[in-house]
Amino acid sequence: MAPVTEATDHSPAPVQGGRTAALAGACVRGALAAGLGLGSVTVLVMVMWISSPYPDSGPGGALHVAAGVWLLVHGAELVRPATLGGAPAPVGVIPLALVALPVWLVYRTARDAAEPALDRPGPSARGAVGAVTAGYLLVGAAALAYGTGGPLPAEPLGAALHLPPLVALAAAAGVWTAHGRPTGPLPGRVPERIRVGLARSRTALAVRAAAVGLGVLLGGGAVLVAVSLAWHAGAARESLLGLSGVWSGRMALLLLAVALAPNAAVWGAAYGLGPGFLLGTGVAVTPLGVTGTAVAPPFPLLAAVPAGGPGTWVNWTVAVVPVAAGAAVGWTCGGGRRGPGARDGGLRDAAFAALLAAVLVGAAVAVLAAAAGGPLGTGRLAAFGPVWWCTGGAAAAWAAGLGVPVAVGLRAWRRRDDAAPATSAPVPPASAPSASPAPPVPAPPVPAPAAPEQSPDLDPASEAPTAGPVPAPASTAAPQSRPGSGAAPQSRPGSGAVPAPLPVPSPDASRASSGAGWEERPAPEDDPGDPAFEPYAVLPAVWEDPVAREARWTALKEASGGLMATFPPAPVAGPAAPGDDMPEAPGADDPGPPQRRS
């Protein structure tokens, strides 16, 4: 029986198709996403048609209207061929709430298509985006052709200009999410200057600040519309009841108002920014007043429009919306929390991030203003809604005018707070220097002689030597080193080996009295960590000369005043034979602390 190996135990999964099959599957997924969106809009239109007490066409006409409304959601303008004047009238106001449905469907479809399956490799990023977009556009082209003969056909040029970019952007967002939302590196075909600029941390900070500012601006616009509707609740109720006398028509009006609620929020933000919006050609609604005669059709949301005439202080209070948006941009760029490991770029980076965020806010508001408005007919209704370039410019000006100073001020304040603890922290007291002068550099020491017996009445401080090195006498026992000096036992004279250095404690070494005896602190020349530490040099050979030894001994004996021993030093012998070691004094290697004599 053959042994079971790793190859036979874990056989690879069968591959069903390759890249081509994955791209074909992504294209089919895109077509299915378009079909689901079209089906959802069709169900909504059919419910309205069934519940209407006065249908003006059959099921075929309702299906044609559903195809046209689906294309309108993607940005294509519709055309009403049958009007009272006889000329076709465009319809370009897009219900922004309905745009979320196709965008979400394309996003989910592209994200699922970019993930590799278990039995075959997934498509590349560009392949997934292209395949999903192609499948979606095939259904869009069929819907455009089908709705041409209906009561609300879509304009082919508008559909060709708006449908592909929207689908491609949503598909790219889905593929980006499927790959883990990477932030770099960008492809090599992107210019290096753009890649370096986008990779900086202040760019990410500016994007985050722009999102915060845009959210505050749109939220403030929605609050303004809600407050105005509550203020004009009677007019809104009268318009709702006057447009339809049956519950089905009123329900349809309420659903249309809900679909246009994001448009109303953008209009409110444009009103708070200053440029306002248009209610027809030559009719502008701004906080300073309403210019011209409004010809707006009766609709519940339009009841929130202020009355004609110059504005009052109540209208001017709407400036709090752009002020809050600019302050939010500045706070995010200058006072927000930094990510882990992020550095404080200084005032210049904060100002640049706030300025870039203001530009992004202006661009986003301009796009939303262009999508929220549009024509509702010809003549005076050809311009309806906010002017995109005026609204976007005003948003950028408010965000930059308030965001940059707030960001710079907060960044400067935060840097001052960060530096305050370092400057106000108490400085630890330096160790007091020794009152005694620094000891002189000692001369090369020689082995110290055995200390003579001191009388009991001598002061303990006199035990320390008063001068430099002291030579050791010629004796059979090695001299004991003082405790704490760190000196090693000296070799026997005449052995031929160089004697080890014996450091002498400094005169100013402090001593602490205790019951156990004297405790000495190591002098600077004994502490290797002290800056004044200087290692002892090797003793020269002249120190072993007998004539020099006798001369030193005579000088020390005369200076001692009779305290030195009377026997002369032993002559220097030749090299010692192996094993001819002299016995060392007991306890020389481990000397105990000096005992105080009683």
Side-chain angles (χ1 to χ4, degrees):
M1 179 177 179
V4 178
T5 62
E6 184 178 357
T8 58
D9 191 18
H10 303 283
S11 58
V15 178
Q16 301 177 0
R19 297 281 184 182
T20 305
L23 292 176
C27 185
V28 172
R29 287 171 180 264
L32 290 177
L36 287 175
L38 181 59
S40 301
V41 176
T42 301
V43 169
L44 181 62
V45 172
M46 292 299 294
V47 169
M48 295 299 150
W49 176 76
I50 293 173
S51 60
S52 176
Y54 310 106
D56 56 353
S57 61
L63 292 177
H64 283 82
V65 170
V69 171
W70 183 74
L71 293 173
L72 174 67
V73 169
H74 292 81
E77 290 186 359
L78 303 183
V79 179
R80 291 188 297 128
T83 58
L84 296 179
V91 178
V93 179
I94 305 170
L96 293 181
L98 296 181
V99 179
L101 177 63
V103 169
W104 181 76
L105 288 173
V106 176
Y107 170 81
R108 289 291 303 271
T109 301
R111 189 189 67 180
D112 296 341
E115 295 178 352
L118 297 177
D119 54 350
R120 65 173 181 270
S124 62
R126 288 181 292 179
V129 173
V132 172
T133 304
Y136 199 95
L137 293 181
L138 287 177
V139 178
L144 178 64
Y146 178 77
T148 302
L152 287 175
E155 185 181 359
L157 182 59
L161 292 177
H162 294 87
L163 190 61
L166 180 65
V167 177
L169 288 177
V175 173
W176 180 60
T177 304
H179 285 79
R181 296 185 179 92
T183 56
L186 296 176
R189 59 179 178 272
V190 179
E192 183 179 0
R193 187 173 182 179
I194 298 178
R195 285 188 279 114
V196 172
L198 293 179
R200 292 176 177 173
S201 59
R202 62 187 181 187
T203 303
L205 180 62
V207 172
R208 185 165 64 250
V212 173
L214 183 62
V216 172
L217 194 60
L218 295 180
V223 170
L224 292 181
V225 173
V227 171
S228 184
L229 279 177
W231 191 276
H232 302 88
R237 181 176 178 273
E238 290 179 2
S239 63
L240 177 63
L241 298 178
L243 286 175
S244 177
V246 295
W247 67 270
S248 58
R250 294 170 184 172
M251 263 322 242
L253 287 174
L254 287 178
L255 290 178
L256 182 59
V258 171
L260 290 172
N263 300 60
V266 177
W267 287 27
Y271 183 79
L273 288 170
F277 50 88
L278 300 177
L279 286 181
T281 305
V283 181
V285 181
T286 65
L288 299 179
V290 180
T291 59
T293 304
V295 291
F299 192 71
L301 287 179
L302 294 179
V305 176
T312 61
W313 66 270
V314 178
N315 304 98
W316 301 338
T317 56
V318 298
V320 69
V321 174
V323 169
V329 170
W331 173 262
T332 307
C333 293
R337 293 184 177 180
R338 288 168 291 176
R343 65 179 184 88
D344 188 359
L347 304 182
R348 181 178 299 179
D349 281 358
F352 183 84
L355 188 61
L356 181 58
V359 173
L360 295 177
V361 169
V365 170
V367 172
L368 291 176
L376 280 180
T378 58
R380 301 189 64 179
L381 290 179
F384 203 77
V387 181
W388 65 271
W389 60 271
C390 289
T391 307
W398 277 100
L402 290 174
V404 173
V406 170
V408 173
L410 287 177
R411 182 64 60 88
W413 184 271
R414 186 178 64 182
R415 293 180 68 180
R416 192 192 71 169
D417 290 345
D418 293 344
T423 57
S424 62
V427 180
S431 58
S434 177
S436 60
V441 179
V446 296
E453 218 174 42
Q454 303 289 337
S455 59
D457 55 344
L458 287 179
D459 186 65
S462 63
E463 293 180 9
T466 59
V470 179
S475 62
T476 57
Q480 295 184 2
S481 60
R482 293 182 62 85
S485 63
Q490 303 297 323
S491 59
R492 178 174 57 88
S495 62
V498 179
L502 181 62
V504 179
S506 61
D508 59 333
S510 61
R511 299 182 177 183
S513 177
S514 63
W518 297 98
E519 295 181 2
E520 297 182 357
R521 291 190 304 176
E525 58 268 16
D526 297 333
D527 187 9
D530 194 280
F533 172 78
E534 293 185 4
Y536 292 103
V538 180
L539 294 177
V542 70
W543 283 84
E544 298 297 333
D545 187 15
V547 178
R549 287 174 56 86
E550 292 179 2
R552 292 195 303 270
W553 182 261
T554 303
L556 291 173
K557 182 178 180 181
E558 293 176 355
S560 64
L563 296 179
M564 297 289 295
T566 57
F567 53 85
V572 179
D580 189 17
D581 295 336
M582 297 183 66
E584 295 182 354
D589 294 338
D590 189 14
Q595 300 295 331
R596 187 173 182 178
R597 302 184 60 180
S598 56

